[in-house]
Amino acid sequence: MAEPRLWAAFRELSEKATRTDLTHAFHPGQPHFPAFPDETRRMPFDMARGDGFNVHLYTIVGQWGTHVDPPSHFVAGARTLDEIPVEEMILPLVVLDITGRVDADPDAVPTLDDVAAWEARNGRIPAGSFVALRTGWGRRWPDAAAMANRDEAGVSHAPGWSADVLRHLFEDAGVTAIGHEQTDTDPGLATSAGDFSLELYVLERDRWQIELMANLDRVPEAGGLIVATWPKPQGGSGFPARVFALHIDD
């Protein structure tokens, strides 16, 4: 009997593809948006106390650790987590790399020249893809002070997206979602002034994003797939996500 086609495809993928976890393990005390409370945990049932099993009770905000922001995070009446279909959870993965510029200038953001250079090497960014911004900022996790990178005046110097690139990705390329290593879509100079307009731009377009991604330096800039999953809270406006990439290394 012939092997079912999907099983055969899975076996071939398993033999050839690398799986790279793009998710930080979350925990109390980790870097987070300053207005959010820290995570708390307790164990209503604990084998160390003689119970027959372990159970943790987690108290967290939805935007905790590597997490998904659906449109409803910033837009009243927009799609919530349970309304994002599974068809959007497996996508082609595009990685824009500005790590070199960020190492020299933590306020660096991507430019249309970065997009043009990526497309010169790889062809047009696929419609319906997930575009991740590689900045090297994930190396700072879980050091909250290093992630925020504030100067003496309290201003954060951290990379973020740019309006030009986001407009191109959503309005010209037609991507489905974006992601990044830093805490926010907007660069630190903007968020320090209370400006989250780039995140609003993304979510107003009925798109979603993953924040605080890990290990983007371990995946190729083109040719991979991303799998982004999360729990399904009814009406949910954010939740920790488990995200990984599949890629075939040359």
Side-chain angles (χ1 to χ4, degrees), residues 81-240:
L81 286 182
D82 52 311
E83 294 173 324
I84 297 176
V86 294
E87 287 82 0
E88 294 187 24
M89 296 182 183
I90 304 178
L91 302 171
L93 175 60
V94 170
V95 179
L96 292 179
D97 187 358
I98 64 167
T99 304
R101 290 212 311 279
V102 171
D103 286 344
D105 176 12
D107 297 316
V109 298
T111 67
L112 291 176
D113 287 342
D114 296 315
V115 176
W118 189 98
E119 292 188 330
R121 293 189 298 271
N122 303 292
R124 287 185 60 83
I125 291 176
S129 60
F130 181 106
V131 181
L133 180 63
R134 181 194 291 158
T135 61
W137 216 247
R139 299 186 303 238
R140 296 168 177 248
W141 182 274
D143 186 329
M147 291 285 290
N149 196 35
R150 298 186 185 278
D151 62 21
E152 294 180 356
V155 175
S156 174
H157 296 275
W161 289 91
S162 66
D164 286 347
V165 167
L166 289 177
R167 277 195 296 268
H168 175 77
L169 294 178
F170 290 117
E171 298 174 23
D172 298 329
V175 307
T176 292
I178 63 163
H180 43 267
E181 298 170 77
Q182 60 274 7
T183 305
D184 294 296
T185 315
D186 297 78
L189 290 175
T191 60
S192 295
D195 178 2
F196 299 90
S197 56
L198 296 183
E199 184 163 355
L200 176 61
Y201 171 84
V202 173
L203 302 180
E204 278 186 329
R205 272 140 194 84
D206 196 34
R207 303 306 206 272
W208 53 272
Q209 65 175 14
I210 299 290
E211 295 194 302
L212 290 168
M213 299 181 73
N215 299 325
L216 283 176
D217 58 330
R218 301 182 187 177
V219 298
E221 67 174 6
L225 299 175
I226 191 168
V227 180
T229 65
W230 49 83
K232 194 177 180 181
Q234 186 172 358
S237 60
F239 218 96

